[in-house]
Amino acid sequence: MKNYILQLSLIFVIAVFISQFSIAQKNKAILDSLEKIAGSQKDSALVQTYNELTWQYRMVDRDKAINYGNLAIATAGKINYKKGIAQAYNDLGIIFFDKENYDSAIVLYNHSLEIRKQLKDDKGQAKLYNKIGIVFQKEGLFEKALDNQFNALSLFENTKDKTGVSYSLNNIGIINQNMGLYKEAIRYQERSIIIKEEIGDKYGLAGSYVNIANNYLNIRDFSKSAFYYQKAINMCRALGDKEYLSNALNNYGGQFLATGNADKAIPLIKESYLLRDSLGDTKGMVSCMNNLAEAYLQKKMYDTAEAILNKALDKGKNAVNCNPEINKVYSSLSKLYEEKGDPGKALSMFKLYASTKDSLYTDELSQKFAEQETRYKTLEKENVIQQQQFALTRKNYFIIGITALLLLGGLLGYSYYKRYKLRQEKKLQLEIMMQQELSVKAVLQAEENERKRIAGELHDGVGQMMSVARMNLSVFESELNFTSDGQKSNYEKIAGLIDDSCKEIRSISHQMMPNALLRSGLAGAVKDFIDKIDGRILKINLHTEGLNERLDSNVESVLYRVLQECVNNVIKHSGANMLDISLIKDADGIAATIEDNGKGFELKKNSSVDGIGLKNVRARIEYLKGTVEFNTAPGKGTLVAIHVPVV
């Protein structure tokens, strides 16, 4: 099987080589023919040939292409052949756009646009507005991009150019998508698709299907995004368009990941990876590997996911402009190690994720700063070889470049100030939270100390006095001569009241400061507390797990008070005859549930639970940095779920 695959791969490589060699030979023949013809031409015919050579050399030798473009401008200028000049500026603009020299591209497009306006060439103007809009979109200047695209759309509509209209609508949709206006983007993409389907533009439809599917995915309308991804995939396969096909497959796989269906995502992402590998698209390959690892992570195949992510990291680090993809890989690795139970590595990867994410904005600014400087130097060099038209604008370019540098410097300064301000605000918030925590701790500690003091006073003071009174009363019993049964009965009632008072005082003092909590910990104290409750009134089932070792005394005390408050609330208010209490300690912390079969109550939405007792429960659990949830409804009993992390 492996040999068969290798043979197929070899055949594919040979076929591609032969195809590219044939194309190269054909292009060389065309270029040689055009250069030969140019030697015998003059005036407008020569300008047209120079423009054709500019276009043909565009993908072969950019320096030669630029040289022929300049020759076309110079030759056309001598005979005032404006159409030829406009075409030369247009073609040179495309070349500089391909070089990612966007400032030069805009200048050249604008030169061509001014001439097209003089010639009243509406269709030519529309195409230039479209190209200028695309440049501004690349630079992130979305408002300018939209203005130019709407100008293009208006002119294409006036000239009844359906193809132009469809592409302008598509570009406006993409700009809205870049701005996060996904529903608006869908509206324009739908209009573009209708026209492309009408005119049978299959290549344009493939791109539009992918774009509209991405927008539906962003608003989580999975049925519509799946519909358009499938249409895009089918059309791309029919056309042999690898680039859009790889994009559609990877994004469609991402949709299945978002819905938790890793098995359907994996084959789509793998196919996308192979396509991008054949295209030499490293950024796309890293994106695919990250999605593939996410799929295996969902399937709990941690070793496979880890191997893929490490491979993605190596590939991304050796590639250019792959920082956003590397940032996502660090995030996935952090999630992986967290699920594997390796908090040290998870934290390390999260720090790398946070640092790379934080640097992306700074890196982008620095990159733009460097690009502006490079563009200016490039313009300065090009102006030497350009004709007089370029020389006249040199001063303007210098001013634009310096202004852009100053603006970027201002942005960097403002960014640093904002980040400094955010750090200070975060520091202040942490200090406030610390003070609030200390305040709550002091209140709870004071409350506990007061409980201890009152319990001690009751036990050692009032309790002892009552015990002495009972002893003295017993002494008097032997000395008294009861003259009737009624007197003896009254005496026994008094003695019984004193005995009951002694028991009540002892019970209250033990509840306020239970000895069982001091002796045996939380589980023992809770058991001792519920053992004193009459089972005929309320049957209580207690389940404890993982509490063999003692907890922090503060945690034990707070949890005991919370459970005591919850049980008292059940006795007083619920009318229940059955109560289940569960106390479980594991690696994540302590989980406690208190569930009764009582009458329940109405739990208002978007508000805290009424009642001082339950507010105290919330305050105590929040002090321990835990959570408490109430699940209840009239006639359905009440469930209190508590979770407290243990440090």
Side-chain angles (χ1 to χ4, degrees):
M1 176 62 76
K2 288 183 179 178
N3 290 334
Y4 178 69
I5 293 171
L6 287 172
Q7 288 172 2
L8 285 177
S9 300
L10 183 60
I11 291 169
F12 175 76
V13 170
I14 292 170
V16 170
F17 174 77
I18 292 171
S19 174
Q20 290 179 342
F21 180 77
S22 299
I23 292 169
Q25 290 294 103
K26 184 177 179 181
N27 287 343
K28 187 176 186 304
I30 292 171
L31 290 168
D32 290 344
S33 175
L34 287 170
E35 287 177 331
K36 186 176 180 180
I37 291 170
S40 61
Q41 290 180 321
K42 60 182 180 178
D43 299 331
S44 62
L46 180 58
V47 173
Q48 291 172 12
T49 301
Y50 282 153
N51 280 331
E52 186 62 27
L53 282 165
T54 302
W55 187 251
Q56 292 295 335
Y57 268 115
R58 178 175 64 96
M59 302 301 293
V60 179
D61 187 333
R62 284 178 179 167
D63 290 335
K64 277 194 174 183
I66 292 169
N67 183 52
Y68 277 117
N70 290 328
L71 285 172
I73 292 169
T75 305
K78 291 177 182 177
I79 60 174
N80 197 27
Y81 181 38
K82 290 185 177 181
K83 185 177 179 181
I85 298 172
Q87 188 62 48
Y89 279 132
N90 177 83
D91 295 344
L92 286 171
I94 293 171
I95 292 168
F96 280 97
F97 175 82
D98 290 340
K99 291 172 64 178
E100 297 185 348
N101 194 334
Y102 300 132
D103 288 346
S104 294
I106 286 177
V107 170
L108 291 161
Y109 286 149
N110 278 323
H111 280 320
S112 181
L113 179 63
E114 290 304 316
I115 297 171
R116 298 287 187 192
K117 287 179 180 178
Q118 294 172 20
L119 296 172
K120 301 187 184 304
D121 180 3
D122 289 345
K123 187 174 287 189
Q125 291 177 59
K127 291 179 179 179
L128 284 161
Y129 279 126
N130 179 56
K131 291 167 188 170
I132 293 169
I134 292 171
V135 176
F136 282 127
Q137 179 191 344
K138 287 282 186 182
E139 292 185 313
L141 302 172
F142 300 127
E143 290 184 2
K144 289 185 176 181
L146 279 174
D147 286 341
N148 281 278
Q149 289 297 349
F150 278 121
N151 286 338
L153 178 62
S154 177
L155 287 166
F156 279 132
E157 287 175 338
N158 289 340
T159 57
K160 302 186 185 308
D161 185 342
K162 290 186 176 181
T163 301
V165 169
S166 70
Y167 278 86
S168 286
L169 290 168
N170 180 73
N171 291 338
I172 292 169
I174 293 171
I175 296 167
N176 277 285
Q177 180 181 346
N178 294 151
M179 296 169 70
L181 304 173
Y182 304 123
K183 291 184 178 179
E184 192 73 0
I186 289 169
R187 191 165 67 84
Y188 283 102
Q189 293 290 358
E190 286 175 339
R191 290 174 61 190
S192 176
I193 287 170
I194 290 170
I195 297 172
K196 286 174 180 174
E197 287 177 340
E198 179 185 341
I199 63 178
D201 182 6
K202 293 182 179 180
Y203 281 95
L205 276 172
S208 290
Y209 287 152
V210 174
N211 290 334
I212 197 170
N214 291 340
N215 282 294
Y216 276 121
L217 182 59
N218 284 326
I219 63 173
R220 302 185 72 79
D221 189 340
F222 298 127
S223 62
K224 288 187 178 178
S225 60
F227 171 76
Y228 281 108
Y229 279 136
Q230 288 164 5
K231 293 194 74 168
I233 289 168
N234 292 336
M235 185 159 287
C236 288
R237 290 192 195 283
L239 296 170
D241 189 332
K242 291 184 179 181
E243 185 173 353
Y244 271 122
L245 179 58
S246 65
N247 193 344
L249 289 167
N250 191 39
N251 290 354
Y252 195 22
Q255 175 178 320
F256 283 118
L257 290 179
T259 55
N261 196 334
D263 289 328
K264 287 190 176 180
I266 289 171
L268 294 167
I269 299 167
K270 282 184 175 179
E271 185 180 355
S272 176
Y273 177 85
L274 292 174
L275 288 168
R276 284 173 166 172
D277 188 15
S278 70
L279 292 168
D281 180 7
T282 304
K283 285 169 67 71
M285 291 164 69
V286 174
S287 175
C288 286
M289 285 190 282
N290 192 58
N291 279 348
L292 195 59
E294 176 65 26
Y296 286 118
L297 196 57
Q298 287 186 10
K299 292 168 69 66
K300 309 298 182 186
M301 297 173 66
Y302 299 123
D303 292 342
T304 304
E306 184 176 4
I308 292 171
L309 288 171
N310 285 327
K311 183 180 176 182
L313 202 58
D314 291 339
K315 190 174 286 291
K317 285 180 177 178
N318 294 324
V320 180
N321 297 327
C322 213
N323 289 340
E325 287 73 23
I326 292 173
N327 180 252
K328 291 178 181 177
V329 172
Y330 283 136
S331 176
S332 298
L333 281 168
S334 177
K335 182 180 177 182
L336 167 72
Y337 289 127
E338 183 179 2
E339 290 194 18
K340 285 182 71 175
D342 192 338
K345 284 187 177 180
L347 179 60
S348 176
M349 288 298 127
F350 184 79
K351 286 180 178 178
L352 287 169
Y353 161 73
S355 64
T356 52
K357 185 177 182 181
D358 191 48
S359 66
L360 280 176
Y361 177 70
T362 305
D363 289 345
E364 286 173 6
L365 284 179
S366 300
Q367 185 180 355
K368 286 185 178 180
F369 190 92
E371 285 174 359
Q372 288 285 359
E373 189 174 10
T374 303
R375 289 170 189 167
Y376 170 70
K377 289 179 179 178
T378 303
L379 284 173
E380 194 172 38
K381 180 181 178 181
E382 288 164 358
N383 284 337
V384 176
I385 61 171
Q386 293 291 340
Q387 299 302 315
Q388 192 173 10
Q389 293 93 332
F390 288 100
L392 293 173
T393 59
R394 183 181 299 171
K395 186 176 181 180
N396 292 334
Y397 291 147
F398 179 80
I399 295 171
I400 291 170
I402 292 298
T403 304
L405 292 175
L406 290 173
L407 285 172
L408 284 170
L411 282 173
L412 286 170
Y414 179 70
S415 173
Y416 176 80
Y417 167 74
K418 289 289 289 183
R419 292 174 64 185
Y420 172 77
K421 188 177 178 182
L422 286 171
R423 285 197 299 269
Q424 293 299 107
E425 289 175 355
K426 186 176 180 181
K427 185 176 179 182
L428 179 61
Q429 288 174 354
L430 289 173
E431 188 65 30
I432 291 170
M433 289 172 64
M434 190 179 295
Q435 291 299 323
Q436 288 175 342
E437 186 175 333
L438 290 172
S439 175
V440 172
K441 185 175 182 180
V443 170
L444 292 175
Q445 191 64 47
E447 182 182 318
E448 204 62 31
N449 290 338
E450 187 63 15
R451 283 177 179 271
K452 290 179 182 178
R453 187 188 69 78
I454 295 172
E457 290 290 335
L458 286 172
H459 187 275
D460 299 334
V462 179
Q464 294 297 333
M465 289 174 66
M466 293 295 290
S467 296
V468 171
R470 180 65 179 88
M471 288 174 59
N472 289 337
L473 188 62
S474 297
V475 172
F476 278 115
E477 182 181 6
S478 60
E479 297 176 358
L480 292 173
N481 294 319
F482 298 106
T483 59
S484 67
D485 291 339
Q487 287 181 341
K488 185 171 180 61
S489 176
N490 289 334
Y491 171 82
E492 289 174 351
K493 287 180 180 178
I494 294 170
L497 286 171
I498 294 175
D499 287 339
D500 290 343
S501 298
C502 288
K503 290 178 183 177
E504 186 68 22
I505 290 169
R506 188 160 50 252
S507 175
I508 292 170
S509 67
H510 285 170
Q511 286 185 23
M512 296 188 74
M513 193 59 214
N515 290 327
L517 187 62
L518 300 174
R519 283 196 318 272
S520 56
L522 179 62
V526 173
K527 187 177 185 306
D528 184 65
F529 167 63
I530 65 176
D531 283 345
K532 294 175 182 177
I533 297 171
D534 191 343
R536 294 171 299 178
I537 300 172
L538 181 64
K539 180 175 176 55
I540 303 178
N541 298 314
L542 174 65
H543 172 72
T544 62
E545 185 179 323
L547 291 168
N548 299 326
E549 297 180 2
R550 294 294 299 269
L551 303 173
D552 178 81
S553 60
N554 201 28
V555 174
E556 287 186 338
S557 177
V558 171
L559 282 174
Y560 177 80
R561 297 300 177 202
V562 167
L563 291 168
Q564 192 180 49
E565 181 71 42
C566 290
V567 173
N568 286 334
N569 282 338
V570 172
I571 294 170
K572 291 177 184 178
H573 307 298
S574 72
N577 57 20
M578 182 72 71
L579 178 64
D580 292 320
I581 300 175
S582 171
L583 267 174
I584 299 174
K585 179 180 178 294
D586 55 22
D588 293 332
I590 300 172
T593 58
I594 305 98
E595 184 174 11
D596 66 60
N597 64 346
K599 60 186 179 183
F601 56 91
E602 184 69 33
L603 186 63
K604 296 179 181 178
K605 294 182 179 178
N606 301 324
S607 66
S608 60
V609 180
D610 294 331
I612 294 173
L614 296 186
K615 286 180 179 177
N616 285 340
V617 169
R618 285 189 182 279
R620 290 176 184 276
I621 295 302
E622 287 173 0
Y623 163 67
L624 295 179
K625 294 184 171 57
T627 59
V628 58
E629 295 180 1
F630 298 90
N631 188 354
T632 183
K636 293 187 178 180
T638 301
L639 171 65
V640 182
I642 297 167
H643 182 268
V644 175
V646 175
V647 181

